[in-house]
Amino acid sequence: MIKEIQLRITLQEEKQDNILIKKSAKFLHINPKDITGIKTLRKSIDARKVKIIFNYKVAVYIKEQMPESSAYEFNYKDVSKAKSIHIIGFGPAGMYAALRCIELGYRPIVLERGKNVKDRRRDLKAINQDHFVNEDSNYCFGEGGAGTYSDGKLYTRSLKRGDVRRIFENLVLHGATEQILIDAHPHIGTNKLPKVVQNIRETILKYGGEIHFESRVTDFIIKDNKIKAIQLQNNIEMAVERIILATGHSARDIYYLLHKKNIALKAKSFAMGIRVEHPQHIIDSIQYHCSGKRNELLPAASYNLVHQINGRGVYSFCMCPGGFIVPAATANGEVVVNGMSPSKRNNPFANSGIVVEINVDTDLPKYERFGVLKGLEYQKDLEGLAFTSGGRNQTAPAQRLTDFVEGRLSTNLNETSYQPGLKSAPLHSLLPKLIGGKLRKGLEVFGQKMKGYYTNEANVVGVESRTSSPITIPRNENLEHPEIKGLFPCGEGAGYAGGIVSAAMDGELCAEAATNGL
Ligand SMILES: Cc1cc2nc3c(=O)[nH]c(=O)nc-3n(C[C@H](O)[C@H](O)[C@H](O)COP(=O)(O)OP(=O)(O)OC[C@H]3O[C@@H](n4cnc5c(N)ncnc54)[C@H](O)[C@@H]3O)c2cc1C
């Protein structure tokens, strides 16, 4: 017999051996010896009160053998001689599209502008140390896309779009910890992601798929409203029948190309702001009601904040406990910050994007002349502003949190995890009022919600500009572009995902759509 039950375990109990067996037996009024195994289905932390509780959902196996492996199976087959689907971009959307093609019996041919995970590392070092951005290989471009050197948080709100469990099981199959199947807030960590990505590559190659790195797509050859071929950076032309376009939201050249070819695009609302960085112990002490070090059983604390100011949302985004702020620019002449953390989340800083909603229909009158590209141009201008105010390299403009809110230039800054370094700048007056004003108000309110959050021990760092795509590439009910046959816009860059999991789910959906009837 298998019984699913919920258990509440205190910090003291968590340390005890076999506590789940003891508590389950008590809960079910059975002899602990009758329990043949316990499988944790879900684990979360309830830190709302001083007494912190671990909430467990467990399946208790009573006089019944517990299965050893997961019920999920991925039916990969040899596709080396099968019909091909071309996939542009090897981020989460492109990787999962390729894997799904193989399951469906089609041969994925992937074109990726960046390098493989290993070679990509050198380019990340060059950004951090030499302030040089390789425009094809950086924190956003290269094998695994923006998802590889990311934080690897696997939260998603897109539960209706696909089978989240399937996405997680596939990550586990490729080397991610099984803990992601259990945790309420699953996280892989930037140190573990490259190996998972490399394993996915090996599966694709093993079953007959192709992956071409350093192969930027520069043109689409279209005849009679049907995609016929793609052109690569070295002028090689490749005949194609159907393409999945999964180039992410930083591939501005792709938006410009589509626009130049009069292929329909739509402007999309998005959010922008700054990244705030606190010492981790401040966030721990607020969230865990402690002073000094947090309990060793507790992970670095996180937060999730939101406030409406005159009907406009200001919210925390991609919070990275125990993490780093990273330079996520994709071109020289811009500064973009983002965050990531290692699997142990053991860095002494906590950082999070704090962003303001931008409504492209009403907020950008000065950019109307750019038509559908208005959000993108606005984003670009702000990233350029961060570059000039940061000192014309990857050093980022920054201010102490209290100085930012109270409108003073900071005479000095706090220590930071951001490797290229920070430069004091008056972000309060540099940022457009629409963003700066709302952020200042929002941060003050966050300080009331979390006592201790509003502190001069935190820095704000500019700019967090790439939260989501400022453009949608339209698609019909078959997930195909309404004007161009054979073009399947996919993932975050096309406006159908926001994060690793939703991009992966959209990749699978696009693979199903693109192979349909081929
Ligand atoms: C530092 C950082 C941390 C993040 N942390 C998290 C997190 O914790 N959790 C989360 O859910 N999300 C996180 N994200 C966001 C997440 O990585 C993206 O949402 C996700 O990767 C989007 O997937 P995608 O496949 O749609 O696009 P991308 O991952 O952007 O992949 C697009 C790929 O297309 C390639 N490409 C672009 N143009 C061309 C071209 N012309 N020809 C060929 N190839 C091209 C790019 O090189 C890239 O590899 C983070 C992002 C960054 C940068």
Side-chain angles (χ1 to χ4, degrees):
M1 193 194 325
I2 307 166
K3 290 257 182 198
E4 279 188 18
I5 58 171
Q6 312 267 0
L7 297 173
R8 286 169 65 76
I9 309 272
T10 64
L11 280 175
Q12 287 72 27
E13 287 172 333
E14 178 81 2
K15 286 186 193 150
Q16 295 174 27
D17 289 340
N18 298 325
I19 186 66
L20 291 181
I21 295 183
K22 286 183 208 160
K23 287 277 243 190
S24 300
K26 193 167 173 209
F27 184 93
L28 294 167
H29 305 290
I30 57 172
N31 187 333
K33 287 191 183 137
D34 290 340
I35 296 181
T36 37
I38 293 194
K39 187 169 181 194
T40 302
L41 303 174
R42 204 104 190 113
K43 184 179 178 185
S44 61
I45 298 171
D46 183 352
R48 284 173 299 176
K49 303 220 171 89
V50 175
K51 190 171 174 188
I52 294 172
I53 299 288
F54 289 106
N55 283 321
Y56 277 89
K57 183 179 179 194
V58 292
V60 185
Y61 287 72
I62 307 160
K63 294 183 180 168
E64 179 167 332
Q65 209 47 47
M66 200 168 88
E68 268 178 22
S69 62
S70 153
Y72 260 85
E73 276 191 19
F74 295 92
N75 185 17
Y76 297 128
K77 42 189 113 159
D78 180 8
V79 292
S80 52
K81 299 201 170 58
K83 282 194 167 175
S84 305
I85 297 275
H86 288 77
I87 298 170
I88 308 176
F90 199 51
M95 288 191 293
Y96 270 75
L99 289 170
R100 188 75 186 122
C101 282
I102 294 174
E103 276 189 290
L104 295 168
Y106 293 86
R107 180 163 177 248
I109 300 180
V110 180
L111 291 318
E112 165 56 54
R113 75 194 293 161
K115 300 180 187 169
N116 66 50
V117 275
K118 197 160 148 258
D119 295 341
R120 198 175 160 188
R121 244 179 243 280
R122 263 179 243 132
D123 297 314
L124 303 189
K125 197 168 162 207
I127 302 175
N128 282 300
Q129 295 186 357
D130 311 329
H131 299 253
F132 173 76
V133 182
N134 176 332
E135 301 191 354
D136 285 315
S137 175
N138 45 57
Y139 278 91
C140 295
F141 295 161
E143 184 174 21
T148 308
Y149 295 99
S150 79
D151 196 35
K153 279 185 291 293
L154 303 175
Y155 327 151
T156 182
R157 277 172 289 171
S158 326
L159 298 174
K160 284 189 200 141
R161 287 201 191 167
D163 186 347
V164 175
R165 177 84 186 190
R166 208 182 118 80
I167 303 298
F168 285 14
E169 291 276 0
N170 209 332
L171 287 168
V172 171
L173 175 74
H174 288 100
T177 164
E178 287 197 5
Q179 197 63 30
I180 63 170
L181 304 174
I182 295 166
D183 283 344
H185 292 104
H187 167 245
I188 297 183
T190 194
N191 50 326
K192 307 267 176 176
L193 281 158
K195 185 70 191 149
V196 174
V197 166
Q198 194 180 315
N199 290 343
I200 290 178
R201 177 219 306 163
E202 278 161 17
T203 296
I204 293 168
L205 297 178
K206 176 175 159 194
Y207 288 97
E210 277 179 28
I211 303 172
H212 303 267
F213 293 113
E214 299 181 64
S215 300
R216 182 174 6 101
V217 170
T218 53
D219 204 358
F220 303 112
I221 318 298
I222 295 166
K223 283 205 183 102
D224 303 327
N225 295 331
K226 179 162 185 356
I227 191 103
K228 292 284 179 193
I230 49 179
Q231 194 169 61
L232 302 181
Q233 63 198 91
N234 46 10
N235 286 332
I236 288 181
E237 218 174 273
M238 216 179 227
V240 297
E241 196 149 346
R242 293 184 182 181
I243 63 169
I244 295 176
L245 182 66
T247 42
H249 64 24
S250 292
R252 290 179 174 157
D253 42 2
I254 289 290
Y255 298 128
Y256 286 128
L257 176 65
L258 293 171
H259 190 55
K260 198 174 96 193
K261 295 181 105 61
N262 287 322
I263 295 173
L265 300 172
K266 265 173 73 183
K268 176 178 151 297
S269 292
F270 57 102
M272 278 176 89
I274 47 82
R275 200 154 266 266
V276 61
E277 184 169 64
H278 288 80
Q280 180 63 48
H281 70 82
I282 292 186
I283 304 301
D284 289 343
S285 66
I286 303 170
Q287 301 298 68
Y288 294 144
H289 329 281
C290 61
S291 55
K293 258 185 114 186
R294 66 177 183 269
N295 186 296
E296 69 204 16
L297 294 175
L298 294 170
S302 63
Y303 59 84
N304 189 1
L305 292 164
V306 59
H307 183 66
Q308 293 288 325
I309 300 173
N310 302 332
R312 189 187 297 271
V314 179
Y315 56 93
S316 59
F317 173 82
C318 182
M319 199 268 145
C320 301
F324 306 85
I325 300 182
V326 296
T330 45
N332 291 292
E334 63 191 31
V335 165
V336 179
V337 289
N338 208 313
M340 67 182 196
S341 56
S343 55
K344 290 194 176 145
R345 289 188 156 158
N346 53 0
N347 201 42
F349 298 99
N351 71 73
S352 176
I354 304 289
V355 294
V356 179
E357 284 171 349
I358 309 286
N359 182 332
V360 276
D361 295 328
T362 53
D363 289 340
L364 309 175
K366 286 194 189 138
Y367 288 78
E368 283 303 330
R369 68 199 152 100
F370 295 109
V372 292
L373 301 179
K374 57 188 162 184
L376 187 155
E377 296 299 337
Y378 183 72
Q379 229 183 18
K380 251 173 86 173
D381 279 357
L382 237 69
E383 293 167 4
L385 178 95
F387 177 77
T388 42
S389 56
R392 300 192 157 272
N393 53 32
Q394 285 304 306
T395 308
Q399 209 166 354
R400 284 183 188 249
L401 168 57
T402 42
D403 289 342
F404 174 66
V405 173
E406 290 161 29
R408 287 186 298 267
L409 183 69
S410 297
T411 44
N412 53 32
L413 295 166
N414 296 294
E415 267 188 52
T416 180
S417 64
Y418 183 73
Q419 270 194 55
L422 302 179
K423 179 171 183 280
S424 172
L427 283 169
H428 64 276
S429 61
L430 286 173
L431 289 174
K433 215 169 162 203
L434 170 69
I435 296 180
K438 299 283 182 295
L439 284 175
R440 290 163 74 188
K441 181 76 200 141
L443 285 162
E444 222 179 331
V445 175
F446 293 164
Q448 289 152 17
K449 292 187 182 190
M450 279 175 68
K451 295 275 176 285
Y453 186 89
Y454 184 68
T455 167
N456 70 356
E457 288 184 62
N459 289 328
V460 297
V461 182
V463 286
E464 173 91 22
S465 49
R466 310 249 179 116
T467 56
S468 68
S469 172
I471 286 174
T472 303
I473 309 177
R475 61 190 192 190
N476 61 22
E477 63 283 5
N478 302 322
L479 309 192
E480 198 169 24
H481 193 283
E483 295 168 355
I484 309 293
K485 283 229 151 307
L487 170 61
F488 293 81
C490 178
E492 189 163 47
Y496 303 102
I500 296 168
V501 177
S502 57
M505 287 198 289
D506 200 54
E508 290 208 324
L509 290 177
C510 287
E512 286 158 22
T515 53
N516 190 15
L518 185 67

